[in-house]
């Protein structure tokens, strides 16, 4: 479905190295989840542990020789966002239209990928995963076992070099736990 993606979203994933900058209109962490989000961030470098508005961010993607994509997302401190946050991960294909995103210590999520009718890329988080390094296994858990729940990320193309990102996590008992929305611009492909 790659050819059905909007040009900006396709460009985001077609280059072996890409640098993106943007502004998140809003970054949201539910108040009751903030202590847990901060502990999780300190341990695993995910998720973003603070709320804020008009948060500047950068995203650096690099594809290695094995085909894995390495992500470095940095959200910068401002008057409403209390400290700089860097969120790193590694994504690998785990099946047809599916990928696993791993953060520190082998903890991550497995998502189904799809392209909607407008050419947006949609990641639907279906499972949490723990990679067992010595056994070469990935153990999967249902999203309701995490207090953050399941989620969806959507990259929505706007111009040839810009797209919107909408990310939200919802737990069946706790409601909306995390999210951010904003606009990203592709700065360079080297």
């Amino acid at each position: 479905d790659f050819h059905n993606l909007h040009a900006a979203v396709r460009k985001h994933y077609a280059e072996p190295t890409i640098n993106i900058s943007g502004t998140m209109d809003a970054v949201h962490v539910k108040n009751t989840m903030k202590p847990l989000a901060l502990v999780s961030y300190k341990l695993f470098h995910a998720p973003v542990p603070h709320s804020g508005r008009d948060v500047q961010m950068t995203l650096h993607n690099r594809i290695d020789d094995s085909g894995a994509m390495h992500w470095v997302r940095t959200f910068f401190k401002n008057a409403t966002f209390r400290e700089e946050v860097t969120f790193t991960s590694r994504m690998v294909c785990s099946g047809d239209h599916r990928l696993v995103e791993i953060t520190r210590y082998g903890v991550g999520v497995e998502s189904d990928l799809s392209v909607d009718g407008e050419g947006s890329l949609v990641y639907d988080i279906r499972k949490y995963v723990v990679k067992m390094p010595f056994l070469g296994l990935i153990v999967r858990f249902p999203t309701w076992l995490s207090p953050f729940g399941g989620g969806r990320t959507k990259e929505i193309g706007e111009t040839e070099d810009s797209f919107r990102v909408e990310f939200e996590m919802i737990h069946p008992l706790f409601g909306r736990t995390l999210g951010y929305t904003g606009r990203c611009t592709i700065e360079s492909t080297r």
Side-chain angles (χ1 to χ4, degrees), residues 150-169:
R152 171 176 273 197
T153 302
K154 191 171 182 180
E155 292 184 17
I156 307 158
E158 291 186 323
T159 70
E160 192 170 313
D161 290 318
S162 69
F163 59 92
R164 285 196 58 76
V165 62
E166 296 175 355
F167 166 72
E168 183 174 62
M169 295 192 78

Side-chain angles (χ1 to χ4, degrees), residues 5 14 17 54 67 70 72 85 91 101 111 119 123 128 133 137 141-142 149 157 161 173 182 188:
L5 288 170
T17 302
D54 299 318
H70 299 265
V72 179
V85 171
M91 287 186 182
E101 182 175 12
S111 299
Y123 292 80
Y128 281 89
L137 298 173
F141 300 95
D161 290 318
L173 296 175
S188 68

